């Protein structure tokens, strides 16, 4: 089997991958339908209203993520995932019935977005850490990359399908279809062989565990750099639902189908980035910083595109850069974090990554309404360039970075930062220990 897909040889991971792919398609369909409902049916093309809806959906991440991470460290992760899938399915069905009945109002969509955000906040940390139970530790980077590939394959399919369905039958049916897709994940979780899972250690209830997770992150300058870079880019740059809707509707005068196509085209680059990430055995901090800088350049170019077709084509490198940054950040943190606190660390990461959206979306929406959608994209470009440059300069000074280029030997480009606490030996030891345990279990 190709190294890119090596995690798929494990039955439990294959089930998870397939179920998550179906559910992710439905999720992307709902995201498009929700924004289109607010933008065109419940308001007069209000970017601020769309921004508020997005903010409410992600606001609970800011408040609940630390507790969700602690929950992920304490309980059976598979059972917790079943509960979150049921919750998301019920909320999607409720919103669909409300829209189809003709009684949907803007405040009700706000409320459903907030409730969905609460469930998603609990789902995020356990979803991120559960993958470590499905594959050996040596395959974790590959599994994280394939998870991103699944998510972005769904992004490739979902928005386009949603646009066609919205034009054909309306937004209400899209919500109902999304509700059904969550049962694919539930089915996958119930069909897994528990004997083949590799449960991570759970944490007993005790005082100060949230502070323990925060202290762990504060003591890791590499994780802090990743979180700062991802947080800034997420706040001002990763608002594609909002900016694409405004560009399609206001700048190019297009409809729901063309808006959905933009999301699918963006996913071409994202899926490519995810598959490339699955081949990397060891992503590093420098890849996070470099891809954030590339994101700033590509979004700046995209904002200047004069036609709908040119704008759509420019979405591809944006998707590649953004997905490379997100996957490298996720895998770098998971691979270098102590399993006993991984749920809490990933919860803090999700809080920075997704929790930045409630702050950025209304601001970006206001910029789009006031100065035009091109500036709404431009602010993300400028922010990404500034934070990537700042992080690179800080790392250069604090970690005593040395760059060497070798013409005849590989790797040609070598980046060394000797003052950064080297986690590689610790990680290699943990991987070796886990692999030995896996072999003993198999025997």
């Amino acid at each position: 089997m190709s190294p890119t897909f090596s995690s798929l040889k494990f039955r439990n991971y294959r089930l998870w991958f397939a179920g998550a792919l179906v559910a992710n398609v439905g999720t992307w369909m709902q995201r498009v339908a929700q924004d289109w409902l607010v933008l065109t049916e419940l308001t007069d093309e209000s970017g601020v209203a769309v921004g508020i809806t997005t903010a409410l959906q992600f606001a609970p991440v800011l408040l609940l993520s630390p507790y969700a991470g602690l929950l992920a460290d304490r309980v059976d992760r598979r059972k917790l995932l079943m509960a979150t899938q049921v919750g998301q399915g019920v909320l999607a069905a409720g919103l669909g019935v409300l829209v189809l009945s003709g009684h949907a109002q803007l405040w009700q969509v706000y409320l459903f977005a907030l409730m969905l955000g609460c469930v998603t906040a609990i789902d995020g940390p356990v979803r991120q850490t559960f993958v470590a139970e499905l594959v050996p530790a040596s395959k974790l980077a590959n599994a994280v990359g394939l998870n991103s590939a699944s998510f972005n394959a769904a992004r490739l399919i979902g928005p386009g399908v949603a646009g066609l369905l919205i034009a054909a039958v309306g937004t209400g049916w899209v919500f109902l279809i999304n509700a059904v897709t969550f049962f694919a994940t539930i089915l996958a979780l119930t069909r897994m062989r528990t004997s083949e899972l590799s449960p991570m250690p759970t944490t007993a209830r005790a005082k100060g565990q949230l502070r323990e997770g925060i202290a762990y992150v504060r003591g890791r300058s590499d994780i802090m750099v990743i979180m700062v870079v991802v947080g800034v880019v997420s706040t001002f740059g990763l608002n594609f639902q909002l900016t694409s809707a405004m560009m399609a509707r206001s700048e190019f005068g297009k409809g729901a189908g063309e808006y959905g196509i933009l999301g699918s085209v963006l996913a071409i680059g994202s899926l490519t980035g995810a598959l490339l990430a699955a081949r990397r055995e060891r992503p590093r901090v420098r890849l996070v910083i470099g891809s954030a800088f590339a994101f700033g350049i590509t979004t700046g170019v995209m904002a200047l595109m004069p036609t709908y077709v040119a704008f759509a084509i420019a979405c591809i490198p944006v998707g590649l850069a953004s997905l490379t940054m997100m996957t490298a950040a996720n895998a770098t943190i998971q691979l270098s974090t102590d399993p006993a606190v991984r749920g809490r660390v990933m919860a803090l990461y999700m809080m920075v990554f997704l929790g930045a959206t409630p702050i950025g979306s209304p601001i970006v929406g206001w910029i789009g309404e006031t100065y035009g959608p091109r500036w709404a994209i431009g602010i993300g470009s400028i922010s990404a360039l500034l934070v990537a440059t700042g992080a690179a300069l800080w790392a250069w000074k604090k970690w005593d970075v040395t760059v060497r280029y070798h013409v005849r030997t590989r790797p040609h480009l070598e980046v060394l930062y000797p003052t950064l606490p080297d986690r590689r030996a610790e990680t290699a030891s943990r991987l070796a220990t886990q692999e030995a345990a896996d072999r003993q279990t198999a025997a």
Side-chain angles (χ1 to χ4, degrees), residues 89-356:
V90 169
L91 288 171
L95 183 56
V97 170
L98 187 65
V99 173
L100 288 175
S101 69
H103 296 101
Q105 299 179 37
L106 184 59
W107 70 269
Q108 293 169 330
V109 177
Y110 285 166
L111 180 60
F112 270 91
L114 180 62
M115 290 190 293
L116 181 61
C118 292
V119 179
T120 303
I122 297 172
D123 180 79
V126 66
R127 176 178 291 273
Q128 295 294 324
T129 55
F130 181 64
V131 66
E133 299 190 8
L134 302 175
V135 297
S138 59
K139 296 296 182 183
L140 181 57
N142 177 259
V144 170
L146 287 180
N147 273 3
S148 296
S150 169
F151 184 76
N152 287 282
R155 180 191 279 186
L156 184 65
I157 300 167
V161 173
L164 295 175
L165 286 174
I166 292 170
V169 296
T171 55
W173 283 106
V174 176
F175 298 133
L176 291 181
I177 293 171
N178 177 44
V180 175
T181 64
F182 286 105
F183 288 99
T185 307
I186 296 172
L187 180 62
L189 290 167
T190 57
R191 294 291 302 277
M192 288 181 180
R193 295 171 181 164
T194 55
S195 61
E196 296 179 7
L197 293 174
S198 303
M200 292 192 302
T202 55
T203 303
R205 185 182 297 272
K207 292 183 178 180
Q209 289 177 324
L210 289 178
R211 291 192 299 272
E212 181 185 358
I214 295 172
Y216 183 91
V217 171
R218 290 181 63 183
R220 292 282 304 278
S221 59
D222 52 339
I223 294 179
M224 289 292 292
V225 168
I226 291 172
M227 287 190 175
V228 169
V229 171
V230 171
V232 172
V233 174
S234 178
T235 301
F236 299 106
L238 299 181
N239 294 285
F240 300 129
Q241 292 173 249
L242 170 60
T243 54
S244 293
M246 297 181 72
M247 285 293 290
R249 186 74 172 180
S250 303
E251 194 72 19
F252 301 124
K254 302 297 183 179
E258 290 85 353
Y259 166 46
I261 288 172
L262 288 179
S264 295
V265 173
L266 182 75
I268 294 174
S270 299
L271 181 58
T272 303
L275 294 175
L276 290 174
R279 297 182 65 88
R280 297 188 191 99
E281 295 182 0
R282 180 67 181 170
R284 303 185 187 280
V285 179
R286 62 176 178 261
L287 181 59
V288 178
I289 296 174
S291 54
F293 191 85
F295 176 84
I297 294 175
T298 54
T299 49
V301 172
M302 182 174 70
L304 298 175
M305 291 295 99
T307 65
Y308 173 82
V309 173
F311 182 84
I313 294 172
C315 287
I316 296 176
V318 172
L320 174 61
S322 62
L323 197 283
T324 300
M325 180 194 71
M326 290 184 284
T327 304
N330 188 311
T332 301
I333 293 175
Q334 289 217 51
L335 284 168
S336 65
T337 301
D338 187 337
V341 296
R342 187 176 293 163
R344 280 162 284 175
V345 173
M346 290 307 297
L348 292 172
Y349 169 73
M350 296 300 292
M351 184 171 67
V352 171
F353 176 46
L354 297 178

